Amino acid sequence: MAEEVKKRVFSGVQPTGKVTLGNYLGAIRNWTPLQEQYECLFCVVDLHSLTVTQVPAELRKNTLDLVALYIACGIDPEKSALFIQSHVHEHSELCWILDTVAYVGELNRMTQFKDKSKKHADNINMGLMNYPVLMASDILLYQTQYVPVGKDQIQHVELARDIAQRFNARYSDTFVVPECLISKTGSSIKSLQDPSAKMSKSDPNDNAIITLTDDPDSIRRKLRRAVTDSDTDAHCVRYSADKPGVSNLLNIYSLCTGTSVAEAERLFEGKGYGQFKDAVADAVISVLQPIQSEQKRLAADKAYLESVLKQGAERAEHIACKTLSKVYRKVGLVPKSR
Ligand code: ATP
Ligand code: LTN
């Protein structure tokens, strides 16, 4: 019997700063179960992170720490290709071709570009604007079917779909048109200080985010300080639009314990915010502690990480190289004789 061809999954996180609980619950954690069903590629997208100013030595460290974190979170390098974006040069090469298919107007409209241009007004570089085309290249290079990401990335995946469809229409069928995989519950974890904004790695306010390297005391302190609500219904632990802070904490509690939000509401009925926040802290700490110790152990084992990355890049390259030659041929570039 012919072996069934598995559909492909691709996703990535930038090695910018410290990975947050939002990145974990919204993205990385949802990747692990996919490994059983799909052919997965998980990438540390270091080229993307150059779109904002980086300290080179920190970028190198963050990149390797993130590789260790992927594994500590359950990415199995034997099942999935785990690699660093810059190790597979086809990403940048496909990006150039797709640049000739993407329109300036559509890149100008991207929410993340507009946000980051405001945040980094002194460095609105071409890479920042081109970021979504590089992301489209990451995805299309592997003929990816599914892209598991948080809600904030839907617009970028839609652009990748548009670019794929436009290229296919212009040059004949070449790319698989990818789809987003959005987790129902963790897709948007909010800032602890401003529950109308997402929890983001690059938030300068350390109290707004829980990072995967925070120690238990910091986690507890940040959760105790988390903004709750000053409505008439104060001190009632309830999930509702007019209680965005409490709702965010309920969501985090539910994701970390496996208890449904409704069950959690019952559990904390008649209890104060203090007690509730401590329970959320306990739940977060018990999820993060085993990941943290495993991440530390792996990050210290440089030889192991190198072997994983070498194997991951080779697997990725094998697919990337096929797609890129197909694309070069379709657009009319003369192949180099071997
Ligand atoms: P930055 O602040 O540097 O832009 P980020 O925290 O937004 O970083 P990314 O590297 O851009 O993180 O995102 C990695 C993945 O995590 C993406 O799939 C993204 O959708 C997801 N993600 C990021 N923040 C959250 C959040 N608060 N809730 C759920 N998912 C999130
Ligand atoms: N832009 C993404 C990171 C990213 C990505 C990708 C995610 C770069 N390339 C390809 C999925 C697929 C973000 O999370 N900010």
Side-chain angles (χ1 to χ4, degrees):
M1 206 169 68
E3 206 184 314
E4 195 196 342
V5 180
K6 284 187 179 171
K7 289 187 173 161
R8 274 197 200 120
V9 163
F10 181 99
S11 198
V13 173
Q14 301 180 69
T16 42
K18 293 196 169 133
V19 173
T20 69
L21 188 65
N23 299 132
Y24 176 64
L25 296 176
I28 307 173
R29 186 168 92 153
N30 305 314
W31 298 352
T32 44
L34 301 172
Q35 301 179 104
E36 306 309 323
Q37 205 180 338
Y38 302 110
E39 182 183 351
C40 295
L41 296 110
F42 296 118
C43 187
V44 173
V45 289
D46 54 348
L47 296 172
H48 274 104
S49 61
L50 296 175
T51 55
V52 301
T53 311
Q54 301 290 333
V55 177
E58 279 176 18
L59 177 60
R60 254 188 301 274
K61 177 169 187 323
N62 287 340
T63 302
L64 293 172
D65 281 352
L66 187 52
V67 173
L69 187 69
Y70 277 11
I71 306 172
C73 289
I75 301 305
D76 178 350
E78 294 306 318
K79 289 187 186 144
S80 304
L82 198 174
F83 66 104
I84 295 176
Q85 187 185 31
S86 62
H87 288 185
V88 181
H89 55 77
E90 284 84 355
H91 289 248
S92 311
E93 290 168 349
L94 181 59
C95 184
W96 174 254
I97 303 289
L98 298 185
D99 269 337
T100 66
V101 179
Y103 298 127
V104 171
E106 60 193 350
L107 296 178
N108 228 341
R109 282 195 296 276
M110 292 287 121
T111 313
Q112 186 176 299
F113 173 61
K114 289 194 271 188
D115 287 351
K116 295 223 164 166
S117 300
K118 260 190 228 144
K119 257 197 218 160
H120 307 277
D122 56 338
N123 183 19
I124 309 178
N125 58 75
M126 276 306 298
L128 199 59
M129 190 175 191
N130 209 18
Y131 179 112
V133 185
L134 181 58
M135 178 161 162
S137 310
D138 298 340
I139 297 169
L140 303 184
L141 195 52
Y142 299 101
Q143 305 292 0
T144 303
Q145 192 83 37
Y146 299 117
V147 188
V149 281
K151 264 192 196 143
D152 61 308
Q153 293 301 311
I154 295 178
Q155 195 183 34
H156 286 162
V157 178
E158 269 165 11
L159 182 80
R161 288 172 61 84
D162 290 345
I163 291 178
Q165 280 161 342
R166 201 174 301 151
F167 188 101
N168 288 350
R170 198 175 288 175
Y171 296 108
S172 85
D173 216 17
T174 307
F175 293 119
V176 168
V177 180
E179 289 166 50
C180 267
L181 271 188
I182 302 285
S183 113
K184 284 190 196 72
T185 42
S187 58
S188 192
I189 302 297
K190 305 298 183 193
S191 152
L192 299 180
Q193 292 300 315
D194 173 10
S196 68
K198 73 162 194 162
M199 185 181 283
S200 167
K201 277 199 229 100
S202 53
D203 196 320
N205 182 355
D206 193 49
N207 283 323
I209 61 178
I210 292 178
T211 76
L212 293 210
T213 50
D214 279 347
D215 59 51
D217 286 347
S218 318
I219 296 174
R220 200 171 295 282
R221 181 175 37 79
K222 289 178 185 182
L223 283 165
R224 280 190 182 150
R225 286 189 191 162
V227 169
T228 36
D229 318 276
S230 52
D231 58 357
T232 47
D233 211 5
H235 300 280
C236 164
V237 179
R238 189 166 44 81
Y239 193 97
S240 89
D242 59 348
K243 285 174 159 288
V246 170
S247 301
N248 187 38
L249 296 182
L250 269 170
N251 199 9
I252 293 174
Y253 180 83
S254 157
L255 288 164
C256 291
T257 56
T259 319
S260 71
V261 168
E263 241 171 279
E265 281 176 329
R266 269 196 300 280
L267 211 61
F268 295 105
E269 214 176 293
K271 306 215 165 110
Y273 282 167
Q275 207 174 340
F276 169 53
K277 285 174 167 178
D278 270 340
V280 180
D282 290 338
V284 172
I285 292 165
S286 66
V287 166
L288 295 194
Q289 258 179 345
I291 297 175
Q292 291 175 338
S293 50
E294 185 62 358
Q295 198 268 353
K296 245 192 207 153
R297 187 185 71 76
L298 290 162
D301 193 348
K302 294 277 180 291
Y304 172 67
L305 293 185
E306 268 170 30
S307 74
V308 163
L309 290 171
K310 183 164 181 283
Q311 175 185 312
E314 277 165 7
R315 280 165 73 177
E317 230 161 27
H318 180 73
I319 310 168
C321 171
K322 273 198 215 159
T323 306
L324 191 70
S325 2
K326 186 169 165 189
V327 167
Y328 275 14
R329 189 161 35 80
K330 295 260 183 149
V331 299
L333 303 181
V334 174
K336 187 173 154 197
S337 33
R338 305 215 171 256

